[in-house]
């Protein structure tokens, strides 16, 4: 028994990784960065109306409790003493908006998820109030006015949910992104919970000045957001508060352990990939796809549709680092859609098997613009299309086209990044759950025509949160000095097709993207008006019918 414990002696650090599709709790050895144990729980997404995406904040919180509890049980089975866990970091889906009652701890509405499109008319009316020669929103926040960010979601809640309005009037309401909701709840909730966020999450709200690193009075007045409901903004690495015992957490596991790291998921992955130098970049394949390039201490504003964002600030007195970001809304979400909506796969892992059977999309192209198009287009009127179908097309070709779509979207944001930075990336560092798919990784190398490099331990988002937590002042169990960082073994995928073929496939994809634009008007997307179908071209119905037919044939067992 003692010998087993000895093998993993030394301080451990936990990380809550709360994503759009799932929640995980992972525990790392702070000296070796080795992942010792973890547990994962899938999270439900609710779609109450077309374009609306919500989640239950209480389900999110309970999934965190469950993951912590199960991971601690697994550590016990490995004879690892959980009292060795010296700190906890939090990484989270960004922009997703929660408002709750600070007296009862109850959410006042479901979390409005970053993918949600209900605020398009709000965005359009606000954009008319921004002078063409002075886009103060973009210059202060680095962000375009879009349904993606928290300010317009919060504005919608204040305009449309009476419980939220009443709580604000009575000074009971607190706003936060998912990190704020979790940290407040885990540090005591209504009994003294800490209401805070970090600079990376604050920078995604459209209320935060990325130059002064403060909530911006002019922006709050523009969006008509009361500043009293906003969380305190802290660095990404400092002690925010201590874990408090909860009736939801058996035996008070991790009671009194400091929560000392907080990073939005994409910033956490940048840290976990150790992209600490100006010009280093990573691409994370999760529900969406996010390419971040560290630009050092300077804000670089994109000419090609990328966002300027805070990368990290690893300590109260440490400098802030910025990044350029290319955001793709739908990556892993397209696989979940094939599973849950069409039923052509039973598990997400089956996609690789289907794609491998054909090894080509056979001229079929899939643009999964379910929430419009993000970078580099920022086109909310786009919707998903599958084109190039013939009678030969089957579910395997559609599966392959779905994987190709993820790679083509990455190529678009990489091209924009190369143009903004002036120095093309020589390789792409990747991470995230989808990188376990070897066909996807090879396709990505072929479509980018540069090597794709994947760490053998793909949980870099959680690792980044753990590093920030372990390195915090007052914890000090994880050194971020370059000479102390553990060497990471990598798997490398080299391009295997010629450059001309890569370019032909990419240019055909671009044609498909153009076809996806201009499908939806504000009125139709907000009202769910069936008259929208009167204006759709015949091709839409052909695609829809064929997709439904393929799904029906699969479910009935037909070949």
């Amino acid at each position: 028994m003692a010998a087993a414990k000895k093998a993993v002696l030394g301080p451990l650090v936990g990380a809550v990784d709360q994503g759009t599709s799932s929640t995980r709790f992972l525990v790392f050895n702070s000296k070796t960065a080795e992942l010792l144990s973890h547990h994962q729980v899938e999270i439900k997404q609710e779609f109450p109306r077309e374009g609306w995406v919500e989640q239950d904040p209480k389900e999110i919180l309970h999934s965190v409790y469950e993951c912590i509890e199960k991971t601690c049980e697994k550590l016990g089975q490995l004879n690892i003493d959980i009292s060795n866990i010296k700190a906890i970091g939090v990484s989270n889906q960004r922009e997703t908006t929660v408002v709750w009652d600070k007296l009862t701890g109850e959410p006042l509405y479901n979390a409005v998820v970053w993918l949600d499109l209900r605020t398009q008319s709000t965005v359009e009316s606000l954009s008319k109030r921004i002078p063409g020669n002075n886009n103060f929103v973009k210059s202060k926040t680095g962000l375009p006015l879009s349904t993606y960010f928290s300010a317009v979601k919060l504005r919608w809640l204040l305009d449309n949910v009476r419980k939220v309005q009443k709580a604000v009037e009575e000074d009971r309401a607190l706003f936060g992104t998912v990190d704020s909701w979790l940290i407040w709840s885990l540090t005591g909730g209504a009994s003294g919970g800490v209401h805070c966020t970090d600079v990376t999450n604050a920078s995604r709200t459209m209320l935060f000045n990325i130059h002064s690193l403060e909530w911006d009075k002019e922006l709050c007045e523009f969006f008509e957001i009361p500043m009293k409901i906003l969380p305190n903004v802290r660095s990404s690495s400092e002690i925010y508060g201590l874990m408090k015992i909860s009736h939801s957490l058996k035996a008070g596991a991790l009671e009194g352990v400091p929560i000392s790291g907080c990073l939005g998921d994409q910033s956490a992955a940048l840290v976990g990939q150790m992209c600490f130098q100006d010009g280093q970049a990573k691409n994370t394949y999760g529900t969406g796809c996010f390419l971040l390039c560290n630009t050092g201490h300077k804000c670089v504003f994109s000419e090609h549709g990328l966002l300027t964002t805070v990368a990290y600030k690893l300590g109260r007195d440490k400098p802030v680092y910025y990044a350029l970001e290319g955001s793709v809304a739908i990556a892993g979400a397209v696989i979940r859609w094939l599973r849950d909506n069409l039923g052509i796969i039973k598990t997400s892992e089956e996609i690789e098997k289907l794609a491998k059977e054909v090894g080509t999309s056979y001229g079929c192209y899939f643009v999964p613009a379910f929430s419009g198009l993000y970078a580099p287009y920022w086109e909310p009127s786009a919707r998903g299309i599958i084109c190039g179908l013939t009678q030969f097309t089957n579910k395997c070709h559609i599966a392959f086209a779905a994987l190709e779509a993820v790679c083509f979207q990455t190529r678009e944001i990489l091209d924009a990044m190369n143009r903004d930075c002036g120095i093309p990336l020589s390789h792409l560092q990747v991470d995230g759950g989808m990188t376990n798919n070897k066909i996807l990784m090879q396709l990505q190398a072929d479509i980018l025509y540069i090597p794709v490099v994947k760490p053998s331990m793909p949980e870099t988002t959680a690792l980044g949160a753990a590093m920030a937590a372990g390195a915090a002042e007052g914890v000090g169990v994880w050194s971020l000095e370059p000479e102390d960082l553990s060497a990471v073994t990598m798997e490398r995928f080299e391009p295997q097709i010629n450059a001309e073929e890569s370019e032909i496939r990419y240019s055909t994809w671009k044609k498909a993207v153009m076809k996806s634009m201009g499908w939806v008007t504000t009125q139709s997307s907000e009202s769910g008006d069936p008259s929208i179908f009167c204006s759709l071209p015949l091709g839409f119905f052909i695609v829809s019918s064929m997709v439904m037919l393929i799904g029906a044939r699969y479910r009935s067992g037909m070949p």
Side-chain angles (χ1 to χ4, degrees):
M1 191 79 80
K5 283 186 183 175
K6 213 171 200 176
V8 287
L9 271 181
L12 311 180
V13 180
V16 172
D17 181 5
Q18 204 300 299
T20 317
S21 305
S22 70
T23 298
R24 287 174 295 178
F25 184 67
L26 307 91
V27 174
F28 296 90
N29 183 326
S30 67
K31 299 304 175 196
T32 63
E34 178 193 359
L35 174 60
L36 299 176
S37 187
H38 75 285
H39 188 76
Q40 179 168 356
V41 173
E42 194 166 302
I43 297 289
K44 286 193 201 81
Q45 291 179 35
E46 298 173 27
F47 307 97
R49 291 172 66 174
E50 184 195 345
W52 293 29
V53 190
E54 296 178 1
Q55 291 179 328
D56 178 355
K58 290 180 83 171
E59 184 195 347
I60 290 173
L61 179 59
H62 290 145
S63 72
V64 171
Y65 287 139
E66 182 182 343
C67 288
I68 291 174
E69 191 180 302
K70 298 288 189 194
T71 303
C72 288
E73 284 174 13
K74 290 176 184 178
L75 289 170
Q77 289 160 11
L78 294 167
N79 297 316
I80 297 169
D81 187 350
I82 63 169
S83 68
N84 281 330
I85 298 175
K86 303 303 182 190
I88 293 169
V90 174
S91 161
N92 58 287
Q93 52 171 311
R94 303 169 303 168
E95 301 97 15
T96 295
T97 299
V98 188
V99 181
W100 67 95
D101 187 318
K102 68 183 177 185
L103 302 182
T104 66
E106 291 294 309
L108 296 166
Y109 190 80
N110 271 347
V112 181
V113 176
W114 57 277
L115 288 163
D116 188 279
L117 291 176
R118 76 188 67 186
T119 54
Q120 187 52 39
S121 65
T122 310
V123 167
E124 288 174 12
S125 62
L126 285 168
S127 66
K128 289 171 187 157
R129 292 170 43 202
I130 298 175
N133 61 349
N134 177 25
N135 189 340
F136 66 94
V137 174
K138 187 163 187 187
S139 63
K140 287 184 175 205
T141 67
L143 311 173
L145 195 55
S146 164
T147 59
Y148 182 17
F149 307 107
S150 312
V152 288
K153 301 178 195 298
L154 182 52
R155 183 67 258 147
W156 186 91
L157 291 169
L158 291 165
D159 288 340
N160 293 280
V161 181
R162 181 60 195 141
K163 278 170 77 175
V164 172
Q165 294 163 355
K166 194 163 184 293
V168 171
E169 288 160 14
E170 296 173 3
D171 202 22
R172 292 183 286 110
L174 296 178
F175 153 78
T177 41
V178 169
D179 56 304
S180 298
W181 163 242
L182 292 180
I183 292 172
W184 184 83
S185 301
L186 293 171
T187 56
S191 305
V194 177
H195 187 215
C196 70
T197 187
D198 90 299
V199 288
T200 68
N201 281 295
S203 76
R204 312 296 293 193
T205 61
M206 248 180 354
L207 300 170
F208 185 72
N209 188 313
I210 61 173
H211 310 286
S212 66
L213 303 182
E214 294 172 331
W215 298 122
D216 190 283
K217 193 165 183 290
E218 184 185 14
L219 290 170
C220 289
E221 285 171 358
F222 176 72
F223 290 105
E224 297 177 79
I225 303 296
M227 294 183 80
K228 65 183 180 181
I229 71 173
L230 302 179
N232 292 320
V233 182
R234 313 275 284 271
S235 78
S236 311
S237 178
E238 61 179 271
I239 296 175
Y240 313 113
L242 306 181
M243 285 281 286
K244 292 272 167 67
I245 193 163
S246 161
H247 61 85
S248 305
L249 207 53
K250 275 187 197 164
L254 310 186
E255 167 82 4
V257 174
I259 299 176
S260 52
C262 179
L263 291 151
D265 52 8
Q266 303 314 318
S267 289
L270 195 73
V271 171
Q273 285 266 30
M274 299 174 204
C275 295
F276 294 126
Q277 303 300 316
D278 190 342
Q280 288 186 301
K282 66 86 207 172
N283 196 37
T284 299
Y285 299 76
T287 298
C289 218
F290 301 90
L291 177 61
L292 265 73
C293 181
N294 189 329
T295 62
H297 303 309
K298 61 184 182 295
C299 284
V300 175
F301 282 86
S302 174
E303 306 278 319
H304 302 97
L306 303 181
L307 311 177
T308 303
T309 198
V310 175
Y312 52 82
K313 184 179 190 292
L314 295 174
R316 239 178 301 201
D317 303 320
K318 296 289 170 68
V320 64
Y321 282 75
Y322 295 96
L324 272 176
E325 174 175 323
S327 317
V328 169
I330 303 295
V334 75
I335 313 305
R336 190 166 173 163
W337 183 81
L338 290 174
R339 184 193 73 184
D340 296 347
N341 293 40
L342 292 196
I344 68 171
I345 52 174
K346 288 185 180 141
T347 67
S348 298
E349 291 70 34
E350 279 180 48
I351 192 88
E352 186 170 9
K353 186 170 165 248
L354 281 187
K356 196 172 184 178
E357 278 182 37
V358 286
T360 174
S361 66
Y362 206 78
C364 168
Y365 286 81
F366 190 163
V367 183
F370 301 156
S371 295
L373 289 167
Y374 282 16
Y377 302 101
W378 298 105
E379 182 48 73
S381 72
R383 285 298 178 271
I385 64 166
I386 302 174
C387 53
L389 297 174
T390 69
Q391 285 182 306
F392 182 72
T393 308
N394 64 32
K395 65 188 181 198
C396 299
H397 298 116
I398 289 174
F400 195 95
L403 294 182
E404 273 193 320
V406 175
C407 301
F408 285 131
Q409 290 179 106
T410 298
R411 166 79 188 264
E412 289 185 313
I413 54 177
L414 185 77
D415 283 358
M417 190 81 72
N418 286 339
R419 287 197 294 273
D420 277 326
C421 295
I423 305 166
L425 290 176
S426 59
H427 66 278
L428 183 65
Q429 288 178 234
V430 300
D431 57 76
M434 290 187 81
T435 61
N436 291 323
N437 186 321
K438 290 189 185 300
I439 286 185
L440 177 72
M441 293 295 94
Q442 186 55 57
L443 270 174
Q444 190 66 88
D446 290 345
I447 288 165
L448 296 180
Y449 213 66
I450 58 173
V452 167
V453 181
K454 173 197 157 192
S456 56
M457 199 288 292
E459 303 292 353
T460 52
T461 301
L463 177 61
M467 289 165 67
E473 188 180 342
V475 178
V477 298
W478 204 309
S479 170
L480 298 183
E481 295 302 320
E483 64 273 16
D484 295 328
L485 294 173
S486 305
V488 179
T489 55
M490 297 284 193
E491 188 175 359
R492 193 176 174 93
F493 296 84
E494 300 283 349
Q496 291 182 353
I497 63 173
N498 64 51
E500 188 183 0
E501 186 187 342
S502 180
E503 288 306 316
I504 289 168
R505 280 158 68 174
Y506 183 49
S507 63
T508 311
W509 156 264
K510 299 280 265 189
K511 268 167 60 181
V513 170
M514 292 302 119
K515 304 276 186 197
S516 77
M517 294 183 190
W519 288 84
V520 177
T521 62
T522 302
Q523 290 73 21
S524 61
S525 68
E526 298 226 332
S527 66
D529 181 355
S531 66
I532 180 178
F533 293 107
C534 301
S535 64
L536 294 182
L538 179 62
F540 172 81
F541 296 102
I542 294 170
V543 167
S544 300
S545 302
M546 289 198 71
V547 168
M548 285 191 287
L549 179 62
I550 289 165
R553 287 174 65 181
Y554 175 75
R555 285 190 292 275
S556 67
M558 290 174 66

